Amino acid sequence: MKRSIIISLMVSLAVKASACAFEESHNNYIFSVYQGCDLLDHAYEQTMKNWQQYTGNQEMTWFDADAVRQAARKKGDQAMLNYVDQLDKYLDISNSVAYSWDYPSKEELAERRAKLLAIRQYAMQHYAAGNLRQQHALLYMRCNMLMEEHQENISYWEKTATKFADSPYRVLMRNIYAGALYHSGRTEESGRIFAEHGDTQSLYTQFYEGRSFEAIKREYQRDHNSLVLPFLVEDFAKNAQEAYDSEYLKTGTEGKLFIRDLTKEECRQMQLFAHQVVKDKKTKDPALWKALEAWLIYLFGDRQEALKTIEQAATMKGTEYTKANAQVLLSYIRADVMPLGPDYYKQLASDLEWMEQKADANRTQHDNYYQNFYTGVFDRMVHQVLMKKFTDGGQPNVATALLGAYDEMPKQFMWKQQGQQGRTDPQSPWSQDYSSELFEHLQAMTAEELQSYLAYLHRGGEGTPLDEWLMKRVRHDDAFYEEVIGTLYIRQANWQQAVNHLQGVTPEFINRNMNITPFMAQRSYTVEPWLKRQRLNGSQQQPGAAFVTASQKLQFAKDMMQMEAQYRMASQTQRPQLAYNLAVRYMQASYAGDCWYLTHYGTGVYDSTLDNEIDMVAKAKELLEVAQGVSDFKQKEKVLFALAYLPIEPWREVDYWNDRVTVNRSSQQYKALARLADFERRNAARTSRYVSRCDVLKQFMKQY
């Protein structure tokens, strides 16, 4: 059985926190001075390595009691077998406490205690000697922890366990000891140990109700260089940022834990206090306090003053971590406050280069996870500062390139880690290129704006150091950009320009890169959508299910250009049929058509006409109105049926929650259905089966 060995010393406490939900608001935290999760995490990692070494299984990432037993039997290690049996029993109890949603009954509590007493008795008999001495001692303290016998753990640590040799088990025992101190009211000592261990969860638990300006002031007065202060200062700075973001950027706190509301007045008090701490010269880390002062001024005061203050902080002494934090804040504030110009471009390029290097340096050799503190800072800087600054400054192409660099960097990191040559993630056949922020930004542009950006890439920017930095990180792929430009022109029914840009996009590019390929390969824009739906099952929609031999978008643009030219030159008698054929194509290419991929890159129930797109459904209606002039009965029937099919002003609204239907008699669809119903009544003997069997028409006629 595989288990996660969790010894959270606060396992029995209910910690208040916001619910975890993801919202990509880019309000990543900028202030980071507490370098936690080192000693305790290392202890956990080392214990797992010990299990790996014992079993010979280097792939083990969770404690696997069965695997350890199997290895112990092969070694003839009865002591290990006995220990694992007892540890497994403990984990059953520990996990039931940590993960159960039900309150235990009095009988269940008594049964749990009896089991823990038995395990503790076993541990007491074996921690005096032997190869597993410290493991048994840790098991003993774990049992005391779950039974809330904190004084027993304090006494055992201070009299016995503190004398053990350094080991990961000793670290874990000391952490349990700190929890016992906390429960016994010795919070100054427990806080110091939690801070030394990097035990952020326990620090949040201990200080949850006491994270405030007054609490930080008291802790500083108790010990000017308390190990807890970096944690408390960072927490305050983060909550100040949340207060600013919520008020000015309208971002939420979804997915973030331990958020505490701060007032501007409390932030002002903290700002003045941080200034005084530096002035008093009693702290060994003035960079910490000066950076806090600068950040609070930036959030709620004069940003020019904030820049001067953070420049001072960057020159002050402090830990390596607090000095790096001051440099991060300097880069961020400077990016916002300095005016655009040659000095700005040079400085920003230097700052972004430094930040990228720090991001790389803060990953372990085998770390496949891109995101860390420095990438988060870059994320916020791009989204909350730089894009707006450059757009407002008349340089939208630089703004787009910054987003492109942000978008590309994690992909390039992933490809490098996996030794890839192509752009597709080998773990997924779906292309990531059409589900990124950059792509959403590009397809919201006008075609002319995107052409301007592509020209900017072709000339390598404007020759600034920032452009030079960006050109090494953004995507350079003409086919990708030309395909999007061509699609933007299709949205505008500018067929000639669409052809110009799509003719260089090969079937090979489409098949290799585009998620819409299976739809494009198995659907046709010549099919009348009101007469036949081109449905694809799940397997038919998957990448690789079908491939194209030509660009359907290109052919569509050519066909439309030719057909509209014919329509403009046609006689009055020819026009109705040509209008109908054009209406078929406009409807298919709209968000509501089966060939939505001609203008869109995805489909959903809430789709609608985009801001940079003509209303193709309305265009289809306009053409169908012309098509009503046809003399042929069957064709006239098709036209009336098509007009009733169009999703313009639905004829009724259904409230499924309240089981209520509201008929909109003034809507366009109601009027179209009325014309179709009248036509069907007048020509009942001649009506086609697709009309007489239409469920929507039947529902309509019940109340018509």
Side-chain angles (χ1 to χ4, degrees):
M1 182 180 296
K2 296 182 180 180
R3 304 292 185 88
S4 170
I5 301 182
I6 301 173
I7 63 163
S8 171
L9 45 104
M10 302 304 173
V11 71
S12 60
L13 290 182
V15 180
K16 299 177 185 177
S18 61
C20 286
F22 178 74
E23 180 184 79
E24 192 170 16
S25 59
H26 307 291
N27 62 335
N28 303 297
Y29 292 130
I30 302 299
F31 198 99
S32 178
V33 293
Y34 174 65
Q35 193 170 13
C37 299
D38 286 330
L39 192 60
L40 193 63
D41 275 3
H42 178 73
Y44 281 122
E45 292 169 4
Q46 188 57 53
T47 57
M48 186 51 59
K49 288 180 181 178
N50 291 346
W51 289 123
Q52 291 173 348
Q53 184 177 0
Y54 187 86
T55 60
N57 179 9
Q58 299 303 311
E59 302 300 320
M60 182 187 293
T61 56
W62 301 90
F63 171 68
D64 188 340
D66 292 337
V68 178
R69 288 191 185 99
Q70 185 178 3
R73 292 190 188 101
K74 288 182 180 179
K75 299 172 186 283
D77 190 347
Q78 188 60 46
M80 179 62 80
L81 281 170
N82 294 339
Y83 170 69
V84 170
D85 285 343
Q86 297 300 316
L87 178 60
D88 209 19
K89 292 176 183 177
Y90 167 81
L91 290 175
D92 273 333
I93 300 169
S94 175
N95 289 335
S96 70
V97 173
Y99 302 120
S100 176
W101 287 92
D102 300 321
Y103 290 104
S105 65
K106 184 177 181 180
E107 293 74 21
E108 288 172 332
L109 287 172
E111 181 183 1
R112 177 196 297 171
R113 181 172 178 81
K115 290 179 179 178
L116 287 169
L117 285 169
I119 298 170
R120 186 178 72 170
Q121 183 62 33
Y122 160 81
M124 287 175 63
Q125 295 170 353
H126 292 81
Y127 65 60
N131 294 333
L132 300 175
R133 182 186 184 194
Q134 291 199 28
Q135 288 92 322
H136 284 100
L138 177 58
L139 182 59
Y140 171 79
M141 293 188 72
R142 283 172 166 167
C143 290
N144 285 334
M145 177 183 67
L146 287 191
M147 291 189 293
E148 299 184 13
E149 296 191 2
H150 305 302
Q151 195 55 49
E152 287 288 333
N153 274 340
I154 292 173
S155 177
Y156 180 72
W157 172 263
E158 294 177 348
K159 293 179 179 179
T160 304
T162 190
K163 301 172 185 176
F164 289 160
D166 288 340
S167 74
Y169 307 105
R170 187 180 186 278
V171 172
L172 298 179
M173 282 186 274
R174 186 170 180 245
N175 198 260
I176 294 176
Y177 166 67
L181 292 175
Y182 168 77
H183 285 291
S184 301
R186 294 166 60 178
T187 53
E188 291 182 4
E189 298 167 85
S190 63
R192 183 173 64 252
I193 296 173
F194 292 151
E196 288 178 8
H197 284 182
D199 188 352
T200 306
Q201 179 183 356
S202 296
L203 283 170
Y204 271 122
T205 302
Q206 175 167 328
F207 290 98
Y208 187 79
E209 297 294 347
R211 298 174 298 138
S212 64
F213 160 65
E214 291 296 339
I216 293 174
K217 183 178 178 180
R218 284 194 303 271
E219 184 67 17
Y220 172 79
Q221 291 171 342
R222 186 190 68 79
D223 180 355
H224 301 318
N225 297 290
S226 166
L227 293 174
V228 177
L229 280 172
F231 165 79
L232 293 175
V233 167
E234 178 181 309
D235 177 74
F236 190 96
K238 288 178 176 178
N239 283 295
Q241 180 181 315
E242 290 293 351
Y244 170 82
D245 287 351
S246 296
E247 180 173 355
Y248 296 103
L249 302 181
K250 308 303 180 185
T251 58
T253 59
E254 287 81 355
K256 294 183 176 181
L257 301 176
F258 310 110
I259 303 303
R260 176 182 174 271
D261 291 334
L262 291 179
T263 64
K264 289 183 181 179
E265 176 58 26
E266 188 173 0
C267 291
R268 189 188 69 82
Q269 290 176 324
M270 178 60 80
Q271 172 198 325
L272 296 175
F273 178 71
H275 178 82
Q276 189 62 43
V277 168
V278 175
K279 187 176 180 180
D280 290 345
K281 299 182 179 180
K282 295 177 181 179
T283 177
K284 295 179 181 178
D285 198 345
L288 164 68
W289 295 96
K290 202 65 176 177
L292 175 62
E293 179 189 359
W295 187 233
L296 294 175
I297 295 173
Y298 174 80
L299 292 176
F300 302 110
D302 184 337
R303 294 194 165 180
Q304 289 291 344
E305 181 187 350
L307 179 57
K308 294 177 183 177
T309 306
I310 195 59
E311 286 174 341
Q312 295 172 18
T315 65
M316 292 180 173
K317 66 178 182 178
T319 67
E320 180 181 352
Y321 209 64
T322 55
K323 288 193 290 186
N325 174 72
Q327 184 61 47
V328 164
L329 292 174
L330 175 57
S331 299
Y332 187 88
I333 295 172
R334 187 160 50 197
D336 188 17
V337 175
M338 278 184 68
L340 295 176
D343 291 343
Y344 180 88
Y345 307 138
K346 182 178 180 180
Q347 185 62 64
L348 181 58
S350 176
D351 287 344
L352 293 178
E353 177 70 25
W354 174 84
M355 202 172 298
E356 186 177 23
Q357 291 174 356
K358 292 293 288 186
D360 290 340
N362 275 264
R363 298 189 188 96
T364 62
Q365 182 178 1
H366 303 291
D367 188 3
N368 286 322
Y369 189 56
Y370 170 78
Q371 191 79 5
N372 61 26
F373 169 68
Y374 292 97
T375 60
V377 174
F378 180 59
D379 177 351
R380 181 182 175 99
M381 186 183 291
V382 168
H383 290 90
Q384 309 289 27
V385 175
L386 296 177
M387 288 188 68
K388 184 178 188 304
K389 189 181 186 82
F390 279 96
T391 301
D392 292 348
Q395 300 182 53
N397 290 330
V398 179
T400 301
L402 283 160
L403 182 60
Y406 162 79
D407 194 61
E408 284 291 298
M409 287 165 71
K411 296 178 185 177
Q412 292 176 0
F413 170 75
M414 179 188 69
W415 300 324
K416 181 179 178 182
Q417 291 295 92
Q418 297 175 353
Q420 290 177 243
Q421 299 300 317
R423 297 187 58 82
T424 303
D425 181 356
Q427 304 301 319
S428 171
W430 293 98
S431 171
Q432 300 175 20
D433 295 337
Y434 298 90
S435 58
S436 67
E437 281 193 70
L438 173 66
F439 178 71
E440 291 303 316
H441 181 74
L442 296 180
Q443 71 156 336
M445 290 179 167
T446 66
E448 292 75 18
E449 287 170 341
L450 185 48
Q451 282 180 273
S452 174
Y453 177 65
L454 182 56
Y456 165 82
L457 295 181
H458 283 167
R459 63 178 179 268
E462 309 302 342
T464 72
L466 177 60
D467 288 317
E468 183 179 347
W469 187 87
L470 288 169
M471 290 305 121
K472 296 176 182 177
R473 289 157 181 83
V474 297
R475 181 175 185 179
H476 298 270
D477 184 345
D478 282 7
F480 171 75
Y481 294 112
E482 292 285 8
E483 198 282 334
V484 179
I485 293 170
T487 302
L488 294 177
Y489 276 122
I490 289 179
R491 289 180 184 175
Q492 291 298 316
N494 189 331
W495 312 121
Q496 182 60 67
Q497 287 286 6
V499 169
N500 293 344
H501 290 276
L502 290 171
Q503 58 190 359
V505 181
T506 66
E508 290 75 22
F509 173 87
I510 297 169
N511 290 329
R512 185 177 66 252
N513 294 282
M514 302 192 70
N515 298 325
I516 60 176
T517 301
F519 299 92
M520 194 178 291
Q522 299 174 86
R523 288 179 174 174
S524 170
Y525 53 79
T526 64
V527 174
E528 298 156 291
W530 32 83
L531 299 184
K532 180 182 178 181
R533 293 302 308 273
Q534 302 176 72
R535 303 186 188 280
L536 301 179
N537 61 38
S539 62
Q540 291 174 312
Q541 299 178 32
Q542 297 303 307
F547 298 99
V548 301
T549 57
S551 170
Q552 192 180 113
K553 289 187 181 183
L554 176 60
Q555 190 58 52
F556 176 75
K558 288 180 176 179
D559 287 354
M560 292 297 285
M561 184 164 55
Q562 181 182 20
M563 291 177 66
E564 289 198 340
Q566 292 173 347
Y567 179 72
R568 288 192 295 271
M569 300 296 293
S571 65
Q572 288 300 111
T573 56
Q574 294 172 323
R575 277 200 159 201
Q577 184 60 54
L578 290 172
Y580 180 83
N581 294 340
L582 282 170
V584 167
R585 287 153 178 78
Y586 270 108
M587 185 61 202
Q588 284 288 22
S590 75
Y591 71 88
D594 286 329
C595 301
W596 47 263
Y597 51 79
L598 293 169
T599 51
H600 294 223
Y601 290 88
T603 185
V605 294
Y606 297 110
D607 284 351
S608 61
T609 299
L610 300 173
D611 291 340
N612 58 359
E613 175 184 19
I614 68 167
D615 190 337
M616 293 199 172
V617 176
K619 184 66 175 178
K621 178 181 181 296
E622 175 189 323
L623 289 161
L624 287 171
E625 295 288 357
V626 175
Q628 286 189 87
V630 71
S631 58
D632 180 77
F633 175 84
K634 291 298 182 184
Q635 188 60 31
K636 176 83 170 181
E637 184 180 45
K638 278 186 181 182
V639 173
L640 292 174
F641 191 80
L643 284 165
Y645 171 87
L646 298 181
I648 301 176
E649 298 180 7
W651 72 280
R652 67 174 189 167
E653 296 176 5
V654 181
D655 183 349
Y656 293 101
W657 289 106
N658 299 304
D659 193 25
R660 184 171 61 237
V661 177
T662 303
V663 176
N664 300 318
R665 297 181 184 277
S666 61
S667 70
Q668 293 193 45
Q669 191 176 48
Y670 186 95
K671 295 173 182 176
L673 281 166
R675 289 198 299 270
L676 179 62
D678 292 341
F679 182 84
E680 195 272 342
R681 285 173 175 171
R682 291 195 306 270
N683 303 280
R686 304 170 61 191
T687 304
S688 298
R689 294 178 66 184
Y690 68 83
V691 176
S692 60
R693 291 188 175 185
C694 176
D695 291 338
V696 174
L697 183 59
K698 288 179 180 179
Q699 292 171 350
F700 175 82
M701 294 184 74
K702 288 179 180 178
Q703 55 77 51
Y704 179 56

